[in-house]
Amino acid sequence: MKIVVTSGGTAGHIYPALAVAQALRAAGHELFFAGSTHGQEVALVAQEGISYKGFESKGFNRSKPASLPAFVWHTQRSTTLAKKWLGEVKPDAVVGFGGFASVPVCRAALKKGLPVLIHEQNSAAGWANRFLARLRVGAIALTYEQARKQLTFRPETLVELTGNPVRSSLLECAEPEARALARTSFRSACNIPANACVLLVFGGSQGARSINEAVVTQASSILAQPNTHVVHLTGPKQFDAVCSQLAQTLNEQQQKRWHAIDYCTQMGEAFAASDVVLARAGAGSLAEIAVFGIPALLVPYPYATDDHQTANARSLVEAGAARCVIDADLSSPVFAETLIELLENETLRTSMTQAASSSDAAGATNRIIELLYKIAK
């Protein structure tokens, strides 16, 4: 089959789309990817060698009604152009993963009578998928059951709980033999001993300022145990500031156990090398953490739409695989106490890892593809 995958905006939309695109291509299908003309999906798709088509897209801010006319104009124009492009490509189906960039392509596909599947990553459905669900989409794939309540769809629309797809490179790295090799390799590259307890800190591709500030403030306490090492993905914009603060906070020996990195291109290896994760609660990050079964302390981004990161985190917390601290408590004792308990209590980490292993995050891609086959016939 010929299949168009469309997404754009944040990595949370793009990486699941790429995971499914990779799997479809591996299954022998001809793949096309459609997104914006300027988003990060342009470079990420190019790295995969998938044919790419960009359309002008513009989001709107619901708190600023004046931004709506520009959004409508760009969407209408790009829908017309996408309809023409789809006529040239002649795909058998279209799969959308949210973001404003997916709206024109999915609309155009529906106008041409093509089967369309949309996937919602978060527990609170985004605007694009809420809009598209009202149209004649053939199927809706959900990561979290809570999102179903926020979507209005036709009775005949197939709606299934699939989970959130994870990139093939991470899935491969999570396999036992590959994981052991990656763990050794990453630790060796960072001069981290094999018996060390490693904390991986990240806040998304751009970092998270409040998390960065909190761990730097607690740096001496975190490193109180001599076998603790920290791999800190600061984000490119905050790297220099974090390094400067660490230089003032830690002595020379401690600095050797704190490994600050601005941006990591080897997330699979970083996960494999880690024993505890401190991160935001984006749907993509949670799926990746679950695949590796790493005990996590989650700090949901407080300004996410409908506070969906808090709802996202609930699934891992209720399963016993994670702890959660709100952003406002990062400066309170509860944050440091919770994090240090995870680092020092190996028995607790073992039980959390076992709880995480009960999830089937790795099967999400196949479930989405099976759902796609149902509507594409």
Side-chain angles (χ1 to χ4, degrees), residues 25-364:
R25 182 171 60 177
H29 301 294
E30 187 175 358
L31 261 292
F32 302 85
F33 200 108
S36 70
T37 56
H38 55 277
Q40 59 181 315
E41 64 269 24
V42 178
L44 290 172
V45 175
Q47 293 172 10
E48 296 296 326
I50 297 173
S51 178
Y52 186 85
K53 179 67 175 180
F55 296 96
E56 289 287 344
S57 67
K58 191 174 183 66
F60 75 92
N61 188 330
R62 282 177 286 186
S63 65
K64 297 179 180 179
S67 65
L68 183 58
F71 163 75
V72 172
W73 186 86
H74 278 282
T75 300
Q76 294 284 25
R77 182 172 183 274
S78 291
T79 298
T80 300
L81 295 174
K83 188 176 179 182
K84 180 181 178 182
W85 175 70
L86 290 172
E88 297 169 354
V89 172
K90 294 181 172 57
D92 296 289
V94 171
V95 190
F97 285 83
F100 289 108
S102 71
V103 174
V105 180
C106 287
R107 283 186 74 220
L110 291 168
K111 287 176 179 292
K112 293 185 69 65
L114 294 170
V116 174
L117 179 153
I118 58 174
H119 178 268
E120 176 53 53
Q121 294 86 53
N122 289 297
S123 55
W127 182 90
N129 281 339
R130 293 190 198 199
F131 172 77
L132 292 169
R134 293 176 179 271
L135 307 181
R136 299 181 64 83
V137 295
I140 302 172
L142 304 174
T143 299
Y144 300 99
E145 183 62 34
Q146 299 96 303
R148 185 190 298 260
K149 302 174 184 177
Q150 301 174 328
L151 298 172
T152 302
F153 47 85
R154 298 174 302 141
E156 60 268 35
T157 299
L158 297 178
V159 183
E160 294 186 10
L161 191 65
T162 61
N164 201 21
V166 173
R167 289 168 283 171
S168 59
S169 59
L170 270 69
L171 292 176
E172 292 165 3
C173 200
E175 292 295 324
E177 185 174 344
R179 182 172 183 169
L181 291 172
R183 184 179 181 88
T184 301
S185 174
F186 191 90
R187 288 187 172 214
S188 176
C190 294
N191 292 316
I192 299 174
N195 66 342
C197 178
V198 175
L199 168 65
L200 174 64
V201 181
F202 67 96
S205 59
Q206 298 305 310
R209 186 180 301 277
S210 59
I211 291 180
N212 286 344
E213 292 174 352
V215 292
V216 169
T217 299
Q218 298 294 334
S220 295
S221 298
I222 292 170
L223 295 180
Q225 292 291 323
N227 72 325
T228 299
H229 281 247
V230 178
V231 175
H232 186 176
L233 311 184
T234 66
K237 294 181 179 179
Q238 299 174 49
F239 178 74
D240 291 337
V242 168
C243 289
S244 176
Q245 292 167 356
L246 288 170
Q248 299 173 35
T249 304
L250 303 176
N251 61 42
E252 185 176 348
Q253 289 303 313
Q254 289 174 323
Q255 289 180 41
K256 292 179 180 179
R257 292 192 283 130
W258 199 287
H259 313 272
I261 303 171
D262 57 352
Y263 181 79
C264 183
T265 58
Q266 298 176 304
M267 280 304 296
E269 289 79 358
F271 279 126
S274 303
D275 301 289
V276 179
V277 169
L278 170 62
R280 289 296 194 197
S285 295
L286 296 190
E288 292 169 359
I289 290 170
V291 163
F292 283 86
I294 307 174
L297 176 56
L298 304 174
V299 187
Y301 179 58
Y303 306 110
T305 304
D306 297 329
D307 195 24
H308 68 254
Q309 286 204 6
T310 298
N312 289 353
R314 194 170 296 126
S315 60
L316 281 184
V317 172
E318 290 178 349
R323 299 285 181 85
C324 187
V325 173
I326 63 173
D327 198 82
D329 282 346
L330 284 173
S331 58
S332 74
V334 67
F335 165 68
E337 291 169 1
T338 305
L339 180 58
I340 291 170
E341 181 187 17
L342 288 176
L343 292 171
E344 296 182 351
N345 192 332
E346 186 175 354
T347 301
L348 174 61
R349 295 200 305 272
T350 299
S351 67
M352 294 176 73
T353 296
Q354 291 172 344
S357 65
S358 64
S359 70
D360 186 21

